[in-house]
Amino acid sequence: MMSSTTYDVRRGRLQTYFNATAVDQWAQLTSTAPVSRIRQTVRAGRDRMREMLLDWLPPLEGARLLDAGCGTGALSVIAAERGAHVTAVDVAANLVDLAKERAPWDLGPGRIDFHVGDMLDPLFGAFDHVVAMDSLIHYSTAEIVGFLEGVAPRTRRSIVLTFAPQTPALAAMHFVGRLFPRGDRAPEILPVSPARLIRAIAVSPKLSGWSAARTERIVSGFYTSQALELVRA
Ligand SMILES: C[S@@+](CC[C@H](N)C(=O)[O-])C[C@H]1O[C@@H](n2cnc3c(N)ncnc32)[C@H](O)[C@@H]1O
């Protein structure tokens, strides 16, 4: 069972980091501006990941989607252009401002409602799909399961998230740690065992109506992240 205190403490640290310390780096990484070769590998991996997560969702026309930890909003924009009504939430106000600035005026049939806040806040209501791309990589297995238990009762169809898989390579190389200078005190990435996470989901009484479906790892230079799809059983 997740302790909400550790989740809250972690969220507070991430807010400071993404809202202040790393805001410029994230702005740059998520743009098309030139970046170092290392960051190019991360950007390429994240582009592939975003594309794959969006591919895992069915046609989005009229669907309600939560982009949990939306950052600068790239996934929200594509989802909205495909017709989704996106609720884009991030705890870092500066990133949400940037996401609003970057979002095109014309989102075709879709729309995006941006919010600064906790992605787990029940006030955001119910969704057809929830996507959390690289928003849970700083949380423990128990906290990820806690997140799922929180959103699952308000989700009609699928939840897609990514986590940092525990691999020998990752144990030696934490991509955000390397990505930004040491002085930035990047919050730790917590590698999670895929098997342990899937087992913890399977035994959670609050997730009894759900099962793990697709899972796929993307490795691109300094970026390693694994996607997991949960669907209603
Ligand atoms: C690694 S970034 C990824 C951002 C975006 N999903 C992307 O792929 O570009 C993680 C984001 O999750 C946000 N985040 C972490 N915990 C959060 C929480 N509990 N509620 C809302 N946002 C959160 C951070 O502020 C940060 O912007």
Side-chain angles (χ1 to χ4, degrees):
M1 174 50 92
M2 175 180 67
S3 145
S4 63
T5 318
T6 68
Y7 174 85
D8 292 346
V9 168
R10 229 186 279 284
R11 189 193 54 219
R13 288 198 192 125
L14 292 171
Q15 180 179 24
T16 306
Y17 180 70
F18 284 103
N19 197 47
T21 321
V23 67
D24 293 339
Q25 286 97 326
W26 270 96
Q28 194 189 39
L29 182 72
T30 57
S31 72
T32 52
V35 284
S36 70
R37 289 170 74 93
I38 287 177
R39 291 188 195 185
Q40 275 171 35
T41 67
V42 174
R43 186 187 272 169
R46 286 175 35 78
D47 287 347
R48 274 171 53 202
M49 179 60 87
R50 189 180 311 110
E51 224 168 90
M52 186 178 82
L53 299 183
L54 285 159
D55 274 0
W56 283 6
L57 299 171
L60 288 173
E61 196 80 23
R64 267 183 58 78
L65 178 106
L66 172 66
D67 185 358
C70 63
T72 54
L75 189 143
S76 289
V77 167
I78 303 172
E81 285 171 343
R82 294 184 185 177
H85 294 179
V86 181
T87 299
V89 181
D90 203 288
V91 73
N94 286 330
L95 291 184
V96 174
D97 282 346
L98 196 57
K100 280 185 191 163
E101 235 174 84
R102 285 185 180 174
W105 273 107
D106 184 5
L107 287 166
R111 62 157 202 261
I112 308 176
D113 299 319
F114 289 104
H115 298 275
V116 178
D118 181 356
M119 58 195 180
L120 258 183
D121 190 335
L123 289 177
F124 295 124
F127 300 95
D128 295 296
H129 305 281
V130 173
V131 179
M133 171 166 156
D134 295 346
S135 311
L136 292 162
I137 57 177
H138 301 284
Y139 291 91
S140 67
T141 304
E143 288 159 349
I144 295 173
V145 173
F147 167 80
L148 292 169
E149 291 173 343
V151 291
R154 297 183 281 117
T155 307
R156 283 181 281 267
R157 299 188 60 187
S158 68
I159 305 172
V160 178
L161 64 97
T162 69
F163 59 94
Q166 201 164 51
T167 64
L170 250 200
M173 176 183 89
H174 288 173
F175 81 78
V176 170
R178 284 272 190 105
L179 195 51
F180 304 133
R182 280 174 198 283
D184 281 356
R185 291 180 185 229
E188 205 191 350
I189 289 189
L190 297 181
V192 160
S193 148
R196 269 195 62 209
L197 176 61
I198 290 169
R199 210 168 31 245
I201 291 167
V203 301
S204 161
K206 292 184 180 160
L207 296 171
S208 61
W210 291 82
S211 59
R214 287 171 276 197
T215 186
E216 183 115 11
R217 188 175 298 175
I218 287 184
V219 179
S220 163
F222 282 70
Y223 177 78
T224 299
S225 188
Q226 183 159 340
L228 175 65
E229 178 192 41
L230 292 192
V231 293
R232 283 204 177 269

